[in-house]
Amino acid sequence: MKTAVSQRPSLILAQPDAIALPADFDPDLTLRGGQAFRWTVEPDSNGQTAYRGVVEDMTLLVAPAAGQWQARLLNHPPTPPRLARLRDYFDLDRDYAAARQALLERVERVAPLARLSGEIERARGLRILRQPWFETLVAFVISANNHLPRIRQIINVISLKFGQPLGSGDYAFPTPEALAAVAPATLRGECRVGYRDRYLCQLAQRIARERLAWEQAATRPTLELRQALQTLPGVGPKVAECVLLFGFHRWEAFPIDVWVRRAMTGALVAPAPDGRPPADRQIAAAAAARFGPLAGLAQQYLFEIARRHKPKADNASAGDNRSSPRPRA
DNA sequence: CACCAGGACGGCG
DNA sequence: CGCCGTCATGGT
């Protein structure tokens, strides 16, 4: 019980409008990788590299402060419910060190995978975000046969044209109803979605019409949810797994793309006798058997490690990639 | 200027 | 079932 009242606010208090991210948080792997598409790299007010993004109706700035990465709300008062949603978004209540350790114990006996343990340790700052499922669904329908930079661009144009302004110069991702009202020709002509225009329009219309059922989907078993997702236009096996993992936080989901297929072939699954890569069904079975409930995390490590091995000059702002302002390792 | 990209879809054997 | 051509678009 303190009786004296400080005349001045304590300097030790954390900034009330921000949440501190884990010490090893890696914004490039987590925010600019293959799971989130609404984060841009830009210098903050101090001229240091920062990451600006939109989560639901919140504009966020992830920047180094007080020796670590912090996520600051730019367009709303930092009420406890909002801060709680941010903790949820960054999955801060999960023990990634324990999850990673459990994963390493599962793979260290498999020689072709054991050599990955060092790579996984270097990618330890990767986290799996808990993103809004409708935005995730649309993003990965667009992802089919597409490149990451272009997926980001299309998602941002869709938000800019059809989303609600957030008072910060940024726009929320549109609701299913708002997107369902957009003509396919507009999606193709103005958002450059190509042949996916009809998929997206029908998708938004169905979600809007079946909204109640889909909002209860988060409580359904993964198997049932997976089957339901694959009835949606533009949603096949791979997109369904991505939505399960990034939009419904099902860590047993295991999306198989070209990178993961290459990583798994020969390491965990033998190629076919004729030399062709094994069927995706066999890869999925091997992943479930080896990685179990951590398959999604394993997949994300495999994807980002494989992608890191081939940089491909993903960055538009050429100049300072060496001065990654890792706030005091 | 071919080739590729976090594939899905429809048709065919 | 499994295989195969096709589907826009823009970067390399």
Side-chain angles (χ1 to χ4, degrees):
Chain A
M1 312 307 180
K2 41 192 302 188
T3 56
V5 175
S6 315
Q7 302 288 1
R8 301 160 53 181
S10 167
L11 295 177
I12 304 178
L13 267 153
Q15 297 183 11
D17 61 339
I19 63 171
L21 300 177
D24 60 1
F25 179 74
D26 190 325
D28 281 321
L29 278 179
T30 304
L31 304 177
R32 298 281 301 174
Q35 60 173 313
F37 304 104
R38 294 217 62 193
W39 290 89
T40 58
V41 183
E42 62 176 44
D44 68 357
S45 52
N46 298 327
Q48 294 178 296
T49 298
Y51 300 80
R52 188 189 183 102
V54 174
V55 176
E56 294 169 359
D57 66 341
M58 297 182 287
T59 301
L60 302 180
L61 190 69
V62 169
Q68 62 184 331
W69 291 101
Q70 298 205 2
R72 189 159 57 91
L73 255 172
L74 297 183
N75 67 330
H76 283 292
T79 60
R82 291 190 185 281
L83 294 180
R85 171 61 182 122
L86 289 188
R87 292 189 56 82
D88 174 74
Y89 177 78
F90 290 102
D91 205 14
L92 294 192
D93 292 328
R94 193 189 303 266
D95 186 347
Y96 273 73
R100 197 164 49 251
Q101 179 61 31
L103 184 61
L104 287 177
E105 288 173 3
R106 282 175 170 269
V107 304
E108 62 189 3
R109 298 175 190 169
V110 185
L113 288 181
R115 63 176 172 79
L116 285 176
S117 57
E119 299 269 14
I120 291 178
E121 185 58 26
R122 282 205 300 150
R124 67 185 180 281
L126 170 62
R127 302 182 76 85
I128 297 182
L129 302 168
R130 300 172 74 91
Q131 303 184 77
W133 64 266
F134 178 65
E135 175 178 345
T136 305
L137 179 57
V138 173
F140 280 96
V141 167
I142 294 169
S143 80
N145 205 20
N146 227 337
H147 286 93
L148 289 181
R150 216 167 82 81
I151 300 167
R152 294 192 193 103
Q153 181 184 351
I154 292 172
I155 289 298
N156 282 316
V157 171
I158 287 178
S159 302
L160 179 67
K161 288 186 173 296
F162 311 116
Q164 183 178 358
L166 297 178
S168 57
D170 304 274
Y171 291 79
F173 192 80
T175 63
E177 288 78 8
L179 198 57
V182 181
T186 305
L187 286 173
R188 177 182 292 222
E190 299 186 16
C191 306
R192 314 305 294 167
V193 300
Y195 64 91
R196 309 166 187 83
D197 54 354
R198 286 177 294 116
Y199 297 158
L200 295 174
C201 194
Q202 297 173 12
L203 174 69
Q205 289 175 358
R206 258 197 65 184
I207 298 299
R209 177 160 44 91
E210 306 169 352
R211 180 133 196 180
L212 289 181
W214 285 104
E215 288 186 350
Q216 292 174 0
T219 66
R220 310 254 268 291
T222 295
L223 201 64
E224 182 183 342
L225 186 49
R226 173 181 291 124
Q227 287 187 330
L229 284 170
Q230 295 203 38
T231 69
L232 294 170
V235 180
K238 194 270 179 182
V239 170
E241 295 302 295
C242 286
V243 177
L244 285 173
L245 179 55
F246 304 128
F248 289 102
H249 335 302
R250 307 298 174 95
W251 274 35
E252 64 270 37
F254 192 79
I256 301 173
D257 61 25
V258 292
W259 302 101
V260 174
R261 190 173 297 114
R262 289 172 196 159
M264 292 287 287
T265 301
L268 269 185
V269 190
D274 53 8
R276 289 177 27 248
D280 287 355
R281 182 190 150 275
Q282 297 187 3
I283 297 179
R290 179 54 57 184
F291 304 134
L294 300 174
L297 180 65
Q299 183 275 157
Q300 201 57 12
Y301 281 133
L302 291 177
F303 176 82
E304 295 296 346
I305 288 171
R307 208 172 70 89
R308 164 190 290 180
H309 214 274
K310 288 217 165 206
K312 298 233 172 186
D314 193 351
N315 211 340
S317 66
D320 58 337
N321 52 353
R322 164 177 36 84
S323 63
S324 143
R326 198 104 201 253
R328 194 172 181 270

